[in-house]
């Protein structure tokens, strides 16, 4: 499939997914940090379904539990209680080693600070997730070809051999998007993806995320910027560890 955006063509081998299957099912999720004497109830009972092909924004004030929620959704941390089904797998009981495998196989991450490895070129950064993929789906040549195609799809074919320090913030985030997609994840988590970008680069990144959504990708994004949240189809508002709004496209106040 090929999608023409303002100044680039994004090409992905994307399955068109049905919007009928919840890709995420969360029930009564809680997260308590600390010990008996100094407990913080960061999540206080969250239940939600996110469907295949949705573009969801999570908003809420600082300290409301967004990062905690995102870390558990992204299998970087475990809930204290409650269930989390990702795709067809109950991941709430997995240990941290098994969660790492789930992350590599099912999840693409886009972070506010890009999180590229500084000593690797753009191309090497995009190849990396495939080297950690135990499924051995591609030969060494195919891995490089896939990474090149990914970088082309975000308009960076002429920057492949550059180190992150030789790229602008917007370019680094586009490398990170190519990296997030290269293992064909079932879901993409974007944590404040435009938080470190100027207006023009933010727009370019959001145009890419929007076109990925239009191709059928499932995207969950944390943002505190109402303008950025309007790119999503559904906005979930979190406050004091609870979901206080879970419908419509209006950014949270
Ligand atoms: P947000 O991302 O919305 O700013 P967080 O998920 O970071 O919110 O935090 C929610 C609550 O949990 C806050 O009260 C925060 O201080 C607390 N918290 C977050 N991480 C930890 C931690 N590792 N240990 C103890 N408390 C934490």
């Amino acid at each position: 499939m090929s999608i023409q955006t303002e100044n680039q063509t994004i090409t992905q081998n994307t399955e068109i997914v049905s919007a009928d299957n919840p890709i995420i099912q969360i029930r009564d999720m809680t997260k308590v940090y600390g010990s008996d004497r100094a407990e913080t109830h960061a999540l206080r009972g969250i239940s939600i379904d996110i469907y295949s092909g949705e573009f969801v924004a999570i908003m809420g004030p600082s300290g409301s539990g967004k990062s905690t929620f995102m870390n558990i959704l992204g299998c970087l941390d475990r809930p204290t209680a409650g269930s989390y089904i990702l795709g067809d797998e109950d991941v709430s009981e997995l240990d941290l080693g098994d969660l790492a495998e789930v992350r590599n196989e099912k999840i693409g991450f886009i972070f506010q600070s890009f999180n590229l490895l500084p000593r690797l070129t753009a191309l090497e950064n995009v190849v990396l997730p495939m080297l950690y993929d135990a499924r051995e789906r591609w030969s060494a040549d195919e891995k490089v070809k896939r990474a090149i195609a990914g970088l082309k799809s975000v308009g960076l074919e002429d920057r492949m051999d550059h180190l992150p320090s030789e790229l602008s913030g917007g370019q680094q985030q586009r490398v990170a998007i190519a990296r997030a997609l290269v293992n064909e994840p079932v879901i993409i988590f974007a944590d404040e993806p435009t938080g470190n970008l100027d207006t023009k680069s933010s727009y370019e990144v959001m145009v890419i995320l929007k076109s990925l959504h239009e191709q059928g990708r499932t995207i969950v994004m944390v943002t505190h910027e109402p303008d950025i949240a309007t790119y999503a189809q559904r906005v979930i508002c979190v406050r004091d560890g609870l979901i206080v709004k879970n419908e419509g496209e209006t950014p949270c106040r």
Side-chain angles (χ1 to χ4, degrees):
M1 178 182 289
S2 177
I3 293 221
Q4 193 73 40
T5 63
E6 190 183 50
N7 55 8
Q8 56 207 265
T9 301
I10 297 180
T11 309
Q12 298 289 337
N13 292 322
T14 312
E15 257 177 78
I16 298 298
V17 284
S18 142
D20 297 335
N21 325 311
I23 205 158
I24 283 180
Q25 294 179 71
I26 285 175
R27 294 293 175 268
D28 303 320
M29 180 182 281
T30 62
K31 179 71 180 180
V32 183
Y33 292 112
S35 59
D36 283 352
R37 271 193 285 161
E39 284 185 345
T40 303
H41 292 256
L43 299 179
R44 298 193 291 131
I46 283 189
S47 298
I48 194 157
D49 289 340
I50 293 174
Y51 289 86
S52 206
E54 271 199 293
F55 187 174
V56 173
I58 299 174
M59 298 189 80
S62 182
S64 58
K66 300 181 301 294
S67 306
T68 301
F69 188 35
M70 197 67 156
N71 284 344
I72 298 173
L73 281 175
C75 295
L76 292 158
D77 199 2
R78 303 175 56 186
T80 304
S83 66
Y84 175 15
I85 296 172
L86 174 60
D88 51 8
E89 188 174 5
D90 186 342
V91 295
S92 34
E93 303 284 325
L94 296 183
D95 64 29
L96 292 178
D98 288 337
L99 283 180
E101 206 167 299
V102 171
R103 280 203 301 279
N104 185 272
E105 291 188 2
K106 293 191 172 168
I107 300 173
F109 286 101
I110 301 166
F111 299 96
Q112 176 173 356
S113 49
F114 325 128
N115 288 17
L116 301 177
L117 291 189
R119 287 167 197 240
L120 299 186
T121 64
L123 183 63
E124 290 164 345
N125 266 285
V126 179
V127 167
L128 203 60
M130 294 184 280
L131 301 182
Y132 286 105
D133 186 347
R135 292 168 290 180
E136 294 184 14
R137 290 178 290 173
W138 303 295
S139 68
D141 269 5
E142 284 165 340
K143 286 174 187 166
V144 174
K145 281 189 185 141
R146 287 180 58 76
I148 291 172
L151 284 166
K152 278 188 180 161
S153 78
V154 293
L156 288 177
E157 55 271 45
D158 57 346
R159 293 285 188 280
M160 290 193 285
D161 296 326
H162 289 237
L163 296 172
S165 58
E166 298 163 340
L167 299 172
S168 70
Q171 289 170 335
Q172 290 184 59
Q173 195 60 303
R174 284 191 273 149
V175 174
I177 292 172
R179 180 185 59 182
L181 293 169
V182 79
N183 267 351
E184 297 178 334
V186 297
I187 191 160
I188 295 162
F189 289 115
D191 193 356
E192 300 274 8
T194 60
N196 280 346
L197 300 180
D198 60 28
T199 308
K200 180 169 173 285
S201 304
S202 296
Y203 174 74
E204 287 169 2
V205 161
M206 292 316 298
V207 166
I208 294 175
L209 292 183
K210 186 166 179 253
S211 73
L212 292 172
H213 171 230
E214 286 164 359
Q215 292 168 42
R217 299 274 181 184
T218 314
I219 304 173
V220 178
M221 168 181 76
V222 167
T223 183
H224 65 272
E225 298 173 73
D227 289 359
I228 297 297
T230 58
Y231 284 88
Q233 276 177 307
R234 174 155 67 121
V235 181
I236 295 170
C237 306
V238 182
R239 195 175 283 267
D240 297 330
L242 290 170
I243 291 175
V244 292
K245 173 178 166 295
N246 175 23
E247 58 188 18
E249 299 169 23
T250 330
C252 313
R253 301 269 162 228

